[in-house]
Amino acid sequence: MRGAGLHAAAAGVMAEDYDDEGQCKRQQDSRVPTFVLSTMASRIEYSEKYMDDKHEYRHVILPKELARSLPKQRLLTETEWRGIGVQQSRGWQHYAIHRPEPHILLFRRPLGTDPVTGKVVAELEREAKEAYAKTMNGAVQRK
């Protein structure tokens, strides 16, 4: 869809225009066709989650034309990444920029994070760390 080369930033849509739920705070703007934003959001790809002993991780692959409109030298706030159409449960933080492929956003959250509240729950944290330890012990034994 070549005509959809209009990116959100070029059309005047800024992260400040969205609340923490990713909902637009201003009146519908005729300069920004809704189909452009929804088409871009529908092309966002999400990895499976993976973990280490402290965090769970995932990466999100944006359409390259959308990624071109993002800041290059800083991480995105939750309001910003939700504002461009990234949809995931609470607690995720954009934690690194992968310079060779800036259209891939790297996210993490602490193990045991409640996906509804975004807060770490001690019981969930303990269970997640135990599950991780079992997985790692099984991997070591298979070698």
Side-chain angles (χ1 to χ4, degrees):
M1 174 173 239
R2 210 63 176 153
L6 173 69
H7 348 133
V13 176
M14 303 298 291
E16 298 80 40
D17 295 329
Y18 293 86
D19 63 21
D20 289 335
E21 304 295 320
Q23 300 298 313
C24 188
K25 293 190 288 190
R26 63 182 176 160
Q27 295 289 343
Q28 177 63 32
D29 187 334
S30 60
R31 296 177 299 157
V32 184
T34 303
F35 77 90
V36 171
L37 294 176
S38 64
T39 298
M40 293 250 195
S42 70
R43 294 176 40 217
I44 295 173
E45 297 178 34
Y46 301 84
S47 74
E48 294 295 323
K49 293 181 242 179
Y50 44 100
M51 67 178 71
D52 64 16
D53 61 331
K54 292 183 177 39
H55 294 95
E56 62 180 329
Y57 301 88
R58 78 172 338 162
H59 55 275
V60 175
I61 304 171
L62 302 175
K64 288 183 181 180
E65 61 270 24
L66 177 59
R68 284 188 206 107
S69 67
L70 299 178
K72 306 286 186 257
Q73 302 301 319
R74 67 174 179 80
L75 302 172
L76 300 179
T77 66
E78 182 173 354
T79 300
E80 289 172 320
W81 56 258
R82 287 192 188 279
I84 60 170
V86 174
Q87 298 178 7
Q88 49 190 357
S89 56
R90 301 277 180 215
W92 291 100
Q93 177 188 28
H94 181 212
Y95 77 97
I97 297 171
H98 183 54
R99 298 264 183 241
E101 297 177 299
H103 66 288
I104 299 177
L105 304 181
L106 305 172
F107 289 92
R108 72 177 177 195
R109 67 180 174 189
L111 289 179
T113 299
D114 181 314
V116 175
T117 66
K119 307 286 185 208
V120 175
V121 176
E123 180 66 17
L124 294 175
E125 181 180 24
R126 185 186 59 73
E127 290 171 4
K129 288 183 176 185
E130 286 175 3
Y132 175 76
K134 279 184 186 176
T135 301
M136 293 312 295
N137 287 338
V140 169
Q141 290 174 0
R142 282 192 294 265
K143 286 185 177 183

